[in-house]
Amino acid sequence: MNMLSTLDRVKQHLVDLKMPSALEVLDDILGRVERDELSTLEALDTLLAEESTLRETRRIRAQLMTSRLTNIKTLEAFDFSFQPSLDRNRILTLAELSFIERHQTVHLLGPPGVGKSHLAVALGVTAVKARKSVYFTTLAELVTTLTQAERAGTLTNRLRYINRVALLIVDEVGYLPIEKGGANLLFQLVNARYEKGATILTSNRGFKDWGEIFGDNVVAAALLDRLLHHAVVVEIAGNSYRLREHADLIPESLKGGAALEEEKTRRKPGRPRKKMSVATA
Ligand code: ADP
Ligand code: MG
């Protein structure tokens, strides 16, 4: 009688404390204690671990939504053998996330389909799991958001909101040209963020094309000045994973990062320049 009421009380505590997972496994764990399969301490550990795991899973799911990371990709799912030009260890080092502490910028460059977005999202997911705040956007969406905020008179708040995150991911730089006003807004964001937060950018275009992408050489040079300082540049020169079964159908002229290869010959390999002028591009 006394035993039963203690058990009932424990169950009620678990309800009051909002620990549904622990409640669910309680009877099973107590059974294992009675059969001497678990010590009291192990039983407590198992019970709390159950609840803790559920909460962590929920936290990650909610944070992924807030971060706008909806199309989830992981490093485990990335086939490095498909992309021999990519140094696996460099990506795994990035996944240790010290670039976030150091407020660095990571550029993932390469032609379409080589896994730039996949890797950017996977690093974002890794950061969320490590309790870092993340904001994922395409460049086109970001410029639209900033333009709308400026019209609504809320630009300062919007810039503050975006720059509060530990890791900003800007996908698809260079797919669409950016209006001049958009480039200026982006510069405000990048300038305010400079040395205060980490950024990952993905692009299918070389830096020399930034003047064209942003419709203004001066703004592009100012953007690159910030975004290449403390930067890690990862170039992926391989084939499209999307087209891996149809590679023979793609004309040579459209294959594998011609623009980036050209860019490489103009640079000392492996060392991103601190400053870079695109005025000559
Ligand atoms: P990009 O952004 O460079 O154009 P994505 O990252 O969108 O390319 O990759 C295109 C598709 O192929 C995605 O579904 C991605 O998950 C997948 N993918 C690309 N590279 C790999 C890889 N090496 N291993 C596994 N999946 C890959
Ligand atoms: Mg992409």
Side-chain angles (χ1 to χ4, degrees):
M1 174 73 193
N2 203 16
M3 268 305 287
L4 185 68
S5 71
T6 305
L7 180 59
D8 283 344
R9 278 213 309 281
V10 168
K11 288 184 174 174
Q12 191 57 50
H13 286 319
L14 293 178
V15 172
D16 294 345
L17 291 167
K18 300 196 169 40
M19 298 173 69
S21 269
L23 182 64
E24 205 170 291
V25 295
L26 180 66
D27 285 333
D28 177 57
I29 288 175
L30 289 178
R32 286 160 71 192
V33 172
E34 269 163 30
R35 293 193 300 275
D36 276 337
E37 289 167 21
L38 290 180
S39 70
T40 317
L41 202 56
E42 284 166 346
L44 269 177
D45 181 36
T46 312
L47 189 83
L48 295 174
E50 192 71 30
E51 191 62 38
S52 184
T53 307
L54 176 81
R55 288 194 188 183
E56 183 63 0
T57 309
R58 280 203 193 135
R59 179 193 70 80
I60 291 170
R61 203 181 299 148
Q63 275 310 117
L64 289 174
M65 292 299 286
T66 317
S67 308
R68 301 154 41 97
L69 288 163
T70 45
N71 187 12
I72 301 303
K73 302 282 178 182
T74 61
L75 287 180
E76 292 74 35
F78 193 84
D79 179 3
F80 283 92
S81 68
F82 186 79
Q83 226 45 270
S85 79
L86 182 64
D87 182 353
R88 183 170 188 263
N89 284 331
R90 253 184 119 192
I91 301 299
L92 296 186
T93 302
L94 287 172
E96 288 167 12
L97 306 180
S98 57
F99 78 96
I100 297 184
E101 297 333 315
R102 292 205 288 264
H103 303 157
Q104 285 184 298
T105 303
V106 177
H107 296 267
L108 299 175
L109 306 181
V114 293
K116 303 180 297 295
S117 300
H118 185 129
L119 291 172
V121 168
L123 289 170
V125 170
T126 307
V128 163
K129 286 184 178 162
R131 298 181 176 266
K132 308 280 181 206
S133 52
V134 178
Y135 185 93
F136 177 90
T137 179
T138 63
L139 178 62
E141 280 167 356
L142 178 61
V143 167
T144 304
T145 306
L146 295 179
T147 308
Q148 283 167 352
E150 188 184 39
R151 277 199 209 115
T154 56
L155 182 62
T156 310
N157 279 345
R158 196 70 207 159
L159 290 174
R160 204 178 293 143
Y161 175 81
I162 296 174
N163 273 337
R164 223 174 32 202
V165 298
L167 173 61
L168 172 67
I169 304 175
V170 183
D171 198 17
E172 299 185 354
V173 173
Y175 278 94
L176 300 168
I178 301 299
E179 305 262 320
K180 172 120 196 263
N184 284 327
L185 289 171
L186 185 72
F187 176 74
Q188 289 189 50
L189 176 81
V190 165
N191 197 37
R193 186 169 187 77
Y194 177 62
E195 296 189 331
K196 296 200 188 79
T199 309
I200 297 178
L201 296 136
T202 81
S203 184
N204 62 332
R205 310 278 295 269
F207 297 125
K208 68 178 169 47
D209 296 334
W210 278 42
E212 188 191 316
I213 295 165
F214 292 97
D216 183 319
N217 283 345
V218 176
V219 179
L223 277 169
L224 280 176
D225 184 57
R226 273 73 174 171
L227 292 172
L228 284 177
H229 193 197
H230 314 296
V232 177
V233 180
V234 179
E235 289 179 28
I236 314 173
N239 295 321
S240 169
Y241 192 83
R242 289 192 193 99
L243 301 173
R244 62 196 181 286
E245 273 140 33
H246 309 287
D248 50 328
L249 302 178
I250 309 296
E252 270 313 312
S253 60
L254 293 180
K255 267 187 191 167
L260 289 168
E261 282 306 313
E262 192 185 309
E263 170 90 14
K264 233 190 315 200
T265 61
R266 299 171 52 233
R267 278 177 36 196
K268 278 188 194 155
R271 269 184 64 234
R273 269 182 277 180
K274 181 176 166 187
K275 291 195 177 176
M276 165 173 248
S277 165
V278 291
T280 54

